[in-house]
Amino acid sequence: MLDEPMRRKVSNLDGEQSADRHLMSLVNVKKYFSVKETFFSSRKQTVRAVDGVDIHIDQGETIGLVGESGSGKSTLGRLITNLIEPTEGKIIFENEDAGGLSGERLKRFRRNVQLVFQDPYASLNPRMSAGSIIGEPLKIHYGDKSTSEIENEVARLMDVVGLQREQMARYPHEFSGGQRQRIGIARALALKPKLIVADEPVSALDVSIQAQILNLLNTLKSDFDLTYLFITHDLNVVEHMSDRIAVMYLGRIVESAEKESLCAHPLHPYTEALLSALPAFSPREKKKRRILEGESPSPLSPPAGCPFHPRCPERMVRCMTEIPGLKMVGSQRMVACHLFPESTEDVK
């Protein structure tokens, strides 16, 4: 967790210039869902999808958010884009609390924070043409624009993402998967956002197309001065795209650091296990595999203490009862693990 001085710093909600220069900061963000125990039961259980996340996103960087399926990555992405409200905690965007927004303030937030969805087959309205899909945000947010102005802007955006203007009248089923994702990217770009949350944007695509979409996103970042939160379970992708990587496990951030530092010297046992599973690029490269025991626990019944301790080969007695807070280890590394006391010494 962030200490109290940091909380005060990121919680300046009065419009005054804060010492915190982050584009977005999440402070102890939680999202719990109530679900029925069984289909026929009236008793409910609580799913802790996101369970106390502290993270910041700086202007112009790409943060890779990585973790197993069910770790809470996509839920966190929807919290950041204000598609769902947090159960607890604060989301601060440009020094303003993004909770409870409505009216013009909500529209302004929507213009600045956009989402690229995972599935290009399900995220596009099959009854709308590509031009209408891309132009819809412009009609909603800029109602004073004429039809010709919107069409010209849509045509420009299609050029930017590698589609032809002549394809504006086509419907989603007439495009390939990669082309559909380009339509989704163009729709996200339409409002000139500052932050784009890309939720597994290439996982549903063929491997041959994935590289094209990743290269497009990198080009757009430079051309449009974008900031990305890139959500994925693929460590090769996140290593290629990211400036900084945050590792998520069972609703919590367990480690975050600059890409080079984290990939070269992972500290948390879970991060080490994820990286050890990557294939070696050379037959001479020897990698020590760290095999995890069992499967990730259910967020319906998380274990006491450190959520990773049932699978951790380094677990200690205190891990079974005490949840480790996210703490600074070195000058650029955050780790939630009892193996590492807080230190001001640099970690390579």
Side-chain angles (χ1 to χ4, degrees):
M1 301 295 180
L2 297 180
D3 57 22
E4 195 56 33
M6 178 61 77
R7 289 184 188 279
R8 288 197 299 270
K9 192 163 63 171
V10 299
S11 300
N12 182 359
L13 310 181
D14 300 324
E16 299 170 4
Q17 186 66 32
S18 169
D20 188 340
R21 304 305 178 102
H22 305 316
L23 179 65
M24 177 175 280
S25 297
L26 278 65
V27 184
N28 193 29
V29 171
K30 300 179 181 181
K31 184 61 183 180
Y32 298 164
F33 297 98
S34 293
V35 296
K36 287 185 176 181
E37 230 174 44
T38 65
F39 182 79
F40 298 102
S41 172
S42 60
R43 294 179 58 185
K44 292 187 176 182
Q45 293 179 297
T46 299
V47 177
R48 299 186 175 191
V50 175
D51 198 16
V53 166
D54 292 313
I55 195 171
H56 68 268
I57 305 171
D58 290 336
Q59 177 68 44
E61 75 172 345
T62 297
I63 291 188
L65 185 63
V66 66
E68 294 172 283
S69 296
S71 62
K73 305 185 303 296
S74 292
T75 301
L76 190 62
R78 281 155 177 73
L79 287 165
I80 287 173
T81 51
N82 212 343
L83 293 180
I84 55 176
E85 290 280 341
T87 304
E88 188 178 319
K90 291 186 181 296
I91 299 175
I92 313 299
F93 182 75
E94 293 189 320
N95 294 324
E96 183 179 20
D97 189 352
L101 296 179
S102 60
E104 186 55 39
R105 292 175 68 201
L106 179 58
K107 289 183 71 173
R108 185 169 66 249
F109 180 88
R110 294 262 191 256
R111 287 194 291 269
N112 284 318
V113 183
Q114 286 286 304
L115 177 65
V116 174
F117 292 90
Q118 173 180 359
D119 189 352
Y121 299 92
S123 61
L124 304 180
N125 189 333
R127 299 183 179 183
M128 295 176 67
S129 67
S132 297
I133 290 170
I134 298 170
E136 185 180 30
L138 296 171
K139 292 180 180 179
I140 293 172
H141 289 266
Y142 302 106
D144 57 337
K145 285 185 177 291
S146 67
T147 301
S148 62
E149 287 177 318
I150 290 176
E151 287 181 353
N152 288 336
E153 180 63 13
V154 169
R156 186 187 71 83
L157 288 166
M158 293 188 74
D159 284 341
V160 164
V161 299
L163 297 172
Q164 299 176 359
R165 300 183 181 212
E166 294 75 20
Q167 296 173 310
M168 286 174 60
R170 294 186 183 179
Y171 288 83
H173 72 273
E174 299 179 82
F175 292 93
S176 67
Q179 289 175 324
R180 293 186 199 189
Q181 196 60 291
R182 289 174 189 268
I183 294 171
I185 293 169
R187 177 177 58 187
L189 285 175
L191 298 177
K192 298 180 175 64
K194 296 181 179 179
L195 171 64
I196 288 182
V197 176
D199 185 7
E200 300 271 13
V202 297
S203 64
L205 304 178
D206 293 340
V207 174
S208 59
I209 304 299
Q210 289 182 6
Q212 297 177 22
I213 298 300
L214 293 176
N215 290 333
L216 172 63
L217 289 170
N218 269 332
T219 300
L220 294 174
K221 177 187 175 183
S222 175
D223 292 348
F224 288 82
D225 192 24
L226 295 171
T227 302
Y228 287 141
L229 176 68
F230 199 92
I231 298 172
T232 182
H233 65 276
D234 189 330
L235 277 165
N236 283 318
V237 170
V238 81
E239 188 174 356
H240 172 70
M241 291 291 295
S242 304
D243 303 308
R244 189 156 50 93
I245 297 175
V247 182
M248 199 166 182
Y249 184 82
L250 209 63
R252 295 174 175 269
I253 301 295
V254 297
E255 185 169 5
S256 67
E258 298 296 323
K259 173 181 66 178
E260 291 80 6
S261 174
L262 185 138
C263 292
H265 300 283
L267 296 186
H268 197 283
Y270 178 61
T271 310
E272 188 177 350
L274 288 179
L275 289 170
S276 74
L278 291 176
F281 291 103
S282 166
R284 296 181 180 180
E285 183 182 349
K286 294 183 179 180
K287 298 185 69 173
K288 181 182 178 181
R289 292 293 300 272
R290 171 162 285 194
I291 307 300
L292 296 178
E293 303 172 3
E295 298 181 355
S296 178
S298 167
L300 278 169
S301 54
C306 173
F308 185 61
H309 88 260
R311 306 173 71 190
C312 181
E314 308 288 344
R315 61 180 175 266
M316 304 175 289
V317 174
R318 67 182 297 198
C319 300
M320 302 177 189
T321 57
E322 184 181 340
I323 299 176
L326 197 62
K327 69 195 89 173
M328 289 296 302
V329 178
S331 58
Q332 299 292 328
R333 181 80 64 108
M334 300 286 286
V335 181
C337 182
H338 292 309
L339 291 172
F340 303 96
E342 290 192 43
S343 170
T344 56
E345 297 177 5
D346 286 335
V347 177
K348 299 294 185 182

